[in-house]
Amino acid sequence: MLLALRAGAGTVDAVEVNPQMIDLARNRFADFAGGIFSRPNLRLHLAEARAFAATAGERYDLIQMPLLDSFSAAAAGVQSLHENYTYTVEAMRDYLAILRPDGVVAITRWLRVPPRDSLKLFTTAIAALEAEGVAEPGRHLALIRSWNTATLLVAKSPFKGEDIAAIRSFAAENFFDISWVPGISASDVNHFNQLDQEYLYEGALALLGPECADFIERYKFAIAPATDNRPYFFDFFRWRALPELLALRTQGGAAMLDWSYLILVTTLVQAAILSAVLILLPLWIRRHALGKALHRLRFGLYFLALGLAFLFIEIAFIQRFVLFLGHPFYAVAVVLAGFLAFAGLGSAVAARWAAAVGRGSAVRGIALAVGVIAVLAATYLLALPSVFERLLAFPDAAKIAIALLLIAPLALFMGMPFPLGLGHVGARSETFIPWAWGINGCASVLSAILATLLAMHIGFSGVVMIAMVLYLVAPALLANRFRTTIPFRS
């Protein structure tokens, strides 16, 4: 903000998501900061960047996004599991939308070699410009670097000759290296902060060329554009690079690994092994008391499917509502509370639903309930983005109420299959009921881990679609087609 004022900015809007930071700057460290918040031309907003951009009523000459995370956290890879909607294709389009015709978005990231963040940001900007109908995105981009940072400039209009000359002059005077501007050549790069290889220049050339898709696919790190459906900007892990990085671990290769991804996979494996042992071993020991193997398998798979499907949808919808509610904490609190409360209500009325709609049959009641779940989930996948876009300007209290109203019907029906299935199984074997609870509980633990891994690869829409399939398959697992030939003991 001080730099903006020093550079002669007439008006500055600063956006900060953490109220404690605002309090520190305005009060405790007000004198240290020179009392800048007393200036009438500097306005400080408590908001999330995307929510502010979507509701901003002004147009800007410059949107500046400085280093938003610590180098140690980024280098350690701990952020690869963090959903970040600030650096997605849709976010870049939101920023471009509130620029004036000659406006620029400037984003600074830590520089790591071989580059990951910088090239992924470059591909994201290219995808956003192409989505806006720009035929030559390279004319709208500039990339300069120091010894430990890289700054990407994304212009709404193509850079003109005088713009390029100003960038070159600034870089030369301040000892920055230019990695990309329109018209750059190999002789223009790697002058001051010299690298063994000018990775950013070569990457920019490849990403703007006809072999872009092939370069992204062959690159050692995942640098495909981040999207709102897959908002894992900091996920650079690729399995095929793991052997090479481990072989180079004594030469710095270990620092290039996204350890959090590997830790998540390890956690999933551990949880799956423990779940299998703690469920299957007692079932095997009590096999004579629990009836035929076919029934045990089908009923166990039913409660496993429910546990996975419920958490898949819940976690995906928490992420869907982050942008709408403007803060991750609000999304977790509102969506989680909504699902728990309305699913509980659904469980309370499940028996009446089966009696009224399922004609007394639990399996028929479950089948109808999961049909409604699938229809609602599919509708929300298609409709929620446009609904959120139209309602983003509403106050927080109204958006929370709208979120709960949207969650209510889906969560209501999601609360029905478990108690109906439990009643159906309990009527045939009361001994199996504790295992049904245990299997469902273990599935809930596994699904929280698995949903994140799946979202990294197929997006949250894919996670919801898998949940829909699990729900639709579940009633068939309870249908007792063999009841005349295979007795089931209680």
Side-chain angles (χ1 to χ4, degrees), residues 113-379:
V113 179
R116 280 147 279 180
D117 308 46
S118 305
L119 288 184
K120 193 163 191 173
L121 190 62
F122 202 84
T123 62
T124 301
I126 291 172
L129 289 166
E130 289 177 342
E132 292 293 313
V134 174
E136 298 180 74
R139 296 179 59 199
H140 296 249
L141 300 172
L143 183 61
I144 65 174
R145 65 173 177 85
S146 67
W147 69 276
N148 69 337
T149 63
T151 297
L152 176 67
L153 306 179
V154 186
K156 189 161 188 174
S157 302
F159 283 117
K160 303 181 180 67
E162 55 268 30
D163 301 323
I164 298 171
I167 293 171
R168 289 179 180 273
S169 175
F170 171 84
E173 290 174 5
N174 296 278
F175 303 102
F176 285 95
D177 286 287
I178 299 176
S179 295
W180 177 262
V181 289
I184 196 173
S185 65
S187 61
D188 298 324
V189 303
N190 210 23
H191 288 166
F192 302 112
N193 307 283
Q194 294 187 356
L195 301 173
D196 293 337
Q197 183 179 345
E198 180 47 74
Y199 298 98
L200 291 180
Y201 169 68
E202 295 171 359
L205 278 179
L207 292 170
L208 291 167
E211 305 298 325
C212 171
D214 183 60
F215 177 80
I216 293 174
E217 177 61 29
R218 289 186 293 105
Y219 200 69
K220 293 185 184 297
F221 300 100
I223 57 169
T227 65
D228 283 353
N229 189 42
R230 294 174 59 190
Y232 294 94
F233 178 82
F234 297 101
D235 173 31
F236 308 111
F237 182 82
R238 279 198 158 154
W239 281 105
R240 66 170 179 262
L242 181 60
E244 181 180 355
L245 293 175
L246 289 177
L248 295 172
R249 63 187 182 278
T250 59
Q251 304 174 37
M256 299 181 191
L257 280 172
D258 289 321
W259 287 102
S260 52
Y261 185 96
L262 293 175
I263 290 171
L264 189 67
V265 172
T266 304
T267 304
L268 178 63
V269 172
Q270 290 175 337
I273 292 173
L274 286 171
S275 297
V277 170
L278 295 174
I279 291 173
L280 297 180
L281 182 60
L283 281 175
W284 183 80
I285 294 173
R286 298 289 305 279
R287 60 189 182 280
H288 297 298
L290 289 171
K292 299 295 182 180
L294 180 62
H295 289 288
R296 294 200 307 270
L297 177 62
R298 289 192 296 111
F299 290 169
L301 288 176
Y302 173 81
F303 290 102
L304 179 71
L306 288 191
L308 292 173
F310 190 99
L311 263 293
F312 279 2
I313 289 181
E314 188 177 66
I315 291 172
F317 273 70
I318 287 174
Q319 297 306 322
R320 287 286 181 182
F321 279 83
V322 166
L323 287 176
F324 179 59
L325 296 174
H327 199 291
F329 291 160
Y330 295 165
V332 172
V334 173
V335 176
L336 191 60
F339 268 101
L340 291 177
F342 289 108
L345 182 61
S347 295
V349 301
R352 296 180 184 177
W353 165 267
V357 180
R359 291 177 291 175
S361 168
V363 175
R364 189 177 293 112
I366 294 168
L368 293 172
V370 300
V372 175
I373 292 170
V375 171
L376 287 174
T379 303

Side-chain angles (χ1 to χ4, degrees), residues 285-478:
I285 294 173
R286 298 289 305 279
R287 60 189 182 280
H288 297 298
L290 289 171
K292 299 295 182 180
L294 180 62
H295 289 288
R296 294 200 307 270
L297 177 62
R298 289 192 296 111
F299 290 169
L301 288 176
Y302 173 81
F303 290 102
L304 179 71
L306 288 191
L308 292 173
F310 190 99
L311 263 293
F312 279 2
I313 289 181
E314 188 177 66
I315 291 172
F317 273 70
I318 287 174
Q319 297 306 322
R320 287 286 181 182
F321 279 83
V322 166
L323 287 176
F324 179 59
L325 296 174
H327 199 291
F329 291 160
Y330 295 165
V332 172
V334 173
V335 176
L336 191 60
F339 268 101
L340 291 177
F342 289 108
L345 182 61
S347 295
V349 301
R352 296 180 184 177
W353 165 267
V357 180
R359 291 177 291 175
S361 168
V363 175
R364 189 177 293 112
I366 294 168
L368 293 172
V370 300
V372 175
I373 292 170
V375 171
L376 287 174
T379 303
Y380 283 178
L381 277 181
L382 297 173
L384 280 184
S386 58
V387 171
F388 289 166
E389 185 178 351
R390 288 173 171 80
L391 303 179
L392 263 178
F394 279 39
D396 288 344
K399 289 195 289 187
I400 289 172
I402 291 169
L404 291 173
L405 287 174
L406 289 170
I407 291 167
L410 179 61
L412 184 76
F413 285 98
M414 285 172 60
M416 294 181 181
F418 182 78
L420 291 176
L422 206 62
H424 180 80
V425 171
R428 286 152 180 79
S429 173
E430 292 183 1
T431 315
F432 194 83
I433 291 179
W435 272 268
W437 278 95
I439 291 169
N440 186 262
C442 286
S444 299
V445 174
L446 292 172
S447 61
I449 309 168
L450 190 57
T452 302
L453 284 171
L454 288 172
M456 286 180 168
H457 295 281
I458 61 175
F460 286 110
S461 296
V463 173
V464 173
M465 292 178 67
I466 292 175
M468 290 162 55
V469 172
L470 289 172
Y471 267 125
L472 291 172
V473 168
L477 296 170
L478 288 187

